[in-house]
Amino acid sequence: MLSFTRKGGVAHLSGMRFARQRAHSRRVLDPVVATMWRARPSQSALIAILLSGCVPAGNAVPQDAGSRPQPPQGAVASPASAPTAPIAPAAEAMRVPFEDDFEHAGTAAVRVATDGGDGAPTAPLVLEPGPDWIPTVPGIWHIEAGRLCGEHARNHGLWLNRVLPVNARIDFDAVSQSPDGDIKAEYWGDGRSSATALSYTNATSYLTIFGGWHNKFHVLARINEHGNDRQEITVDPNSDDPREKPAVAGQSYHFRVERSDGKTIKWWVNGNEMFSWTDTIPLAGVGHDHFGFNDWDVKLCFDNLKVVPLP
């Protein structure tokens, strides 16, 4: 309970004190202090809370080009919270495996460019992913040579139109066309959200980022890819550990992410276990029940997706 005392002309509040400074400051503070002195304990606590609300809090805005901000020495990072936007009603989780090799025709989107002569199109039709997929922004994701590809998405991903159970195994192949790497996917998100600012600090999912930040880190993150609680491996091209190798442009990688106990996220790349991380506040249930592909800027292509529900 908050308490208030005076000693030697100095006001003490729960171990904190307000010292005399200038006559003007004393005239402003003393009426409030006197009110708290006369008030009952419960009233004093209320006034103290109102006073503390007048102190502005600072904000540091993380950027997508760089490593995570470091906490003060000895600080313990608390899990980030998901956005409070409305979520869709609960739907039945998938019970049978889902596969997509992206060899299907998809949905054709007509391009309007012409050659300036007879009006014939100068570019082929763009094949959209189709009804199994939910784009957060149209026109970014398309099917190209039997693969799902996206570029310059700026964290506006593509969600699978299936409800994940709490436990599932997700396999797919991925390739980056850039030496920057930066292969990204989301797991157990809300199935409709995307970045609302430059930095993707308000995801609804777990994220894997292979070769992120210009191929400097491999990261498993929860909600905030810049968060102090993210799991990361520093890339070292000279390392003998295959987990520390950078993402190579044009090379296909096989990803597997699995949760089988409701709380532990495991991630493998080409059979090498990158992380096995237990979340004390697991993302599960409505609002955390979809899988999606994502991208920042480089061109990425994905293939051979298989999602298997687990008990």
Side-chain angles (χ1 to χ4, degrees):
M1 179 179 296
L2 294 175
S3 62
F4 204 89
T5 61
R6 284 182 178 275
K7 183 177 180 181
V10 179
H12 295 259
L13 175 61
S14 295
M16 299 177 62
R17 68 179 186 176
F18 300 88
R20 296 174 183 266
Q21 295 181 3
R22 298 187 183 89
H24 174 73
S25 300
R26 187 171 60 252
R27 286 196 301 271
V28 173
L29 180 59
D30 280 353
V32 179
V33 171
T35 300
M36 296 181 68
W37 175 257
R38 292 192 299 270
R40 292 191 298 271
S42 59
Q43 294 172 327
S44 298
L46 176 59
I47 294 171
I49 292 170
L50 292 174
L51 281 173
S52 67
C54 297
V55 180
N59 285 316
V61 180
Q63 301 298 323
D64 268 89
S67 60
R68 64 183 177 185
Q70 297 300 314
Q73 186 173 2
V76 178
S78 59
S81 297
T84 56
I87 54 180
E92 185 176 2
M94 57 187 297
R95 297 182 179 180
V96 297
F98 171 86
E99 298 185 46
D100 197 339
D101 60 6
F102 302 104
E103 296 291 343
H104 52 82
T107 303
V110 180
R111 290 189 176 180
V112 297
T114 64
D115 63 2
D118 59 5
T122 58
L125 299 180
V126 176
L127 296 178
E128 302 293 344
D132 287 326
W133 296 92
I134 306 170
T136 55
V137 172
I140 293 177
W141 299 92
H142 60 277
I143 295 174
E144 178 182 306
R147 300 182 300 178
L148 174 72
C149 299
E151 188 175 7
H152 308 309
R154 297 299 176 102
N155 289 317
H156 292 86
L158 182 77
W159 294 100
L160 177 63
N161 192 14
R162 295 288 189 281
V163 177
L164 295 181
V166 172
N167 294 323
R169 180 185 303 119
I170 301 166
D171 286 270
F172 59 89
D173 297 326
V175 59
S176 172
Q177 302 296 342
S178 168
D180 280 350
D182 210 14
I183 301 173
K184 181 182 293 189
E186 301 192 51
Y187 315 82
W188 288 281
D190 70 359
R192 61 190 184 83
S193 291
S194 60
T196 57
L198 180 62
S199 293
Y200 200 22
T201 60
N202 63 334
T204 59
S205 61
Y206 301 105
L207 303 102
T208 58
I209 308 168
F210 188 68
W213 292 270
H214 304 287
N215 233 336
K216 294 178 182 177
F217 302 100
H218 305 316
V219 166
L220 170 63
R222 179 192 188 279
I223 302 289
N224 180 1
E225 64 183 39
H226 299 272
N228 293 322
D229 59 346
R230 79 185 188 188
Q231 312 299 301
E232 70 176 35
I233 293 172
T234 300
V235 170
D236 180 1
N238 299 315
S239 174
D240 293 330
D241 188 339
R243 299 174 304 164
E244 297 178 356
K245 294 292 186 181
V248 177
Q251 179 174 327
S252 180
Y253 294 92
H254 183 76
F255 286 64
R256 169 173 286 183
V257 170
E258 177 181 297
R259 180 166 64 183
S260 59
D261 64 354
K263 59 184 178 180
T264 303
I265 303 296
K266 296 183 178 182
W267 174 29
W268 295 265
V269 176
N270 288 351
N272 300 304
E273 185 174 288
M274 305 296 288
F275 299 105
S276 178
W277 179 69
T278 300
D279 186 359
T280 57
I281 310 176
L283 303 180
V286 179
H288 303 295
D289 51 7
H290 283 76
F291 164 76
F293 293 116
N294 211 334
D295 168 64
W296 171 241
D297 200 43
V298 305
K299 183 175 182 179
L300 301 178
C301 291
F302 300 95
D303 204 357
N304 301 317
L305 172 69
K306 185 175 183 179
V307 182
V308 178
L310 299 177

